[in-house]
């Protein structure tokens, strides 16, 4: 399948693995890229630019296909060494960067001078248009269904994607709620040039996370996610657990007076314990509604091959027979 996204990134299939904190290590990125998609290393999961440089080198030993690095720009008390991370990406020879969070404009000149393509992840048409205006090569449009940060507009992909298609000139991928060949064909029908998946790629053999994380996704239904941190305008879709119940009770009790410190125990620094030690009640972790469509833990290649075969059958079979 050839789309503007496969052409732009030089990949075989229009399927991207989005950056995921404490999930997007070299093993997963290489497995996705080797399967013909685009695998992504999560920059900030590496605590320093030096560690990111090592992770990129480790990934390079596992694949010669294009790989991507995610840079998430979020406000923080002690901002990460972004110039150092950008240098590690450039010196590591990575040619694709997924940016997310704040406007990436400041970093575009350095990336573009080094022939690095930028795909910016956003949750609204206005932010997608801004990304296009500042010179991003593509955008990843994340609907309300998505695991992680869906923004504050709550527009599901059935509306958001065709709206993006109406307005954007640059290519875009559909993100949030994507799991299979049906998702890919629907994304293409709604105007996207491919799809980005997060939660689905966690439940794969190569995802270097604890087995209990994969089991929790397989066991979850589409009813099992919750939105947390809305009062802080930093909404995150997470899988429900005892920590999330506690967090939501605090949000209800404190109302507008809620501060980050009140919920720090449930959200700050919890990812290593959950993802690596499998302490599933340790805190809130991002997970999409798409968990309801995930029932197995295949290899990345099995997953991507299955998606492409199902998409092919849908387009040439079921849809072609309807017209
Ligand atoms: C566990 C987890 C961690 C994530 N961490 C990040 C992150 O650090 N930076 C980022 O830009 N997106 C992050 N995301 C969002 C994904 O890249 C992707 O946009 C999202 O998962 C798509 O929705 P889906 O889960 O329904 O496929 C994360 C998602 C999950 C599930």
């Amino acid at each position: 399948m050839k789309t503007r996204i496969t052409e732009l990134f030089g990949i075989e299939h229009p399927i991207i693995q989005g950056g995921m904190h404490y999930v997007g290590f070299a093993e997963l990125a290489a497995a996705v890229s080797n399967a013909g998609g685009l695998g992504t290393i999560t920059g900030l999961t590496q605590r320093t630019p030096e560690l990111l440089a090592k992770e990129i080198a480790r990934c390079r030993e596992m694949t010669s296909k294009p790989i991507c690095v995610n840079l998430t720009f979020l406000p923080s008390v002690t901002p990460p060494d972004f110039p150092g991370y950008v240098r590690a990406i450039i010196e590591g020879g990575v040619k694709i960067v997924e940016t997310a969070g704040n406007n990436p404009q400041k970093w575009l000149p350095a990336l573009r001078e080094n022939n690095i393509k930028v795909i910016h992840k956003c949750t609204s048409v206005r932010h997608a248009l801004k990304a296009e205006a500042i010179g991003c090569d593509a955008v990843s449009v994340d609907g309300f269904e998505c695991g992680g940060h869906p923004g504050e507009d709550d527009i599901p992909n059935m509306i958001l994607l065709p709206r993006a298609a109406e307005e954007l000139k640059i290519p875009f991928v559909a993100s949030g709620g994507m799991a299979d060949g049906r998702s890919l064909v629907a994304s293409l029908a709604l105007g996207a040039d491919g799809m980005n998946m997060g939660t689905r790629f966690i439940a794969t053999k190569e995802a270097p996370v604890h087995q209990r994380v994969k089991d929790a996704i397989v066991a979850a239904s589409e009813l099992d996610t919750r939105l947390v941190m809305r009062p802080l305008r930093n909404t995150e879709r997470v899988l429900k657990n005892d920590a999330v119940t506690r967090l939501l009770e605090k949000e209800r009790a404190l109302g507008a007076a809620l501060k980050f410190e009140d919920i720090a125990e449930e959200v700050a620094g919890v990812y290593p314990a959950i993802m690596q030690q499998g302490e599933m009640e340790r805190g809130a972790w991002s997970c999409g509604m798409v968990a309801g469509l995930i029932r197995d833990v295949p290899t990345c290649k099995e997953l991507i091959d299955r998606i492409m075969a199902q998409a092919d059958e849908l387009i040439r079979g079921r849809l072609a027979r309807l017209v």
Side-chain angles (χ1 to χ4, degrees), residues 313-323:
E313 161 53 25
L314 265 174
I315 296 166
R316 289 183 216 269
R318 180 158 187 270
L319 298 185
R321 281 198 300 275
L322 294 177
V323 291

Side-chain angles (χ1 to χ4, degrees), residues 37 53 85 90 95 113 151 161 180 188 240 253 255 266 301 316:
Y85 283 101
I90 294 168
K95 292 297 175 201
E113 267 165 36
L161 297 174
D180 53 30
L188 297 172
K240 73 167 191 210
E266 282 81 23
K301 179 159 172 40
R316 289 183 216 269

Side-chain angles (χ1 to χ4, degrees), residues 44 73-80 82 102:
L44 295 190
F73 304 110
L74 291 176
S76 67
V77 195
T78 43
F82 282 118
N102 289 346

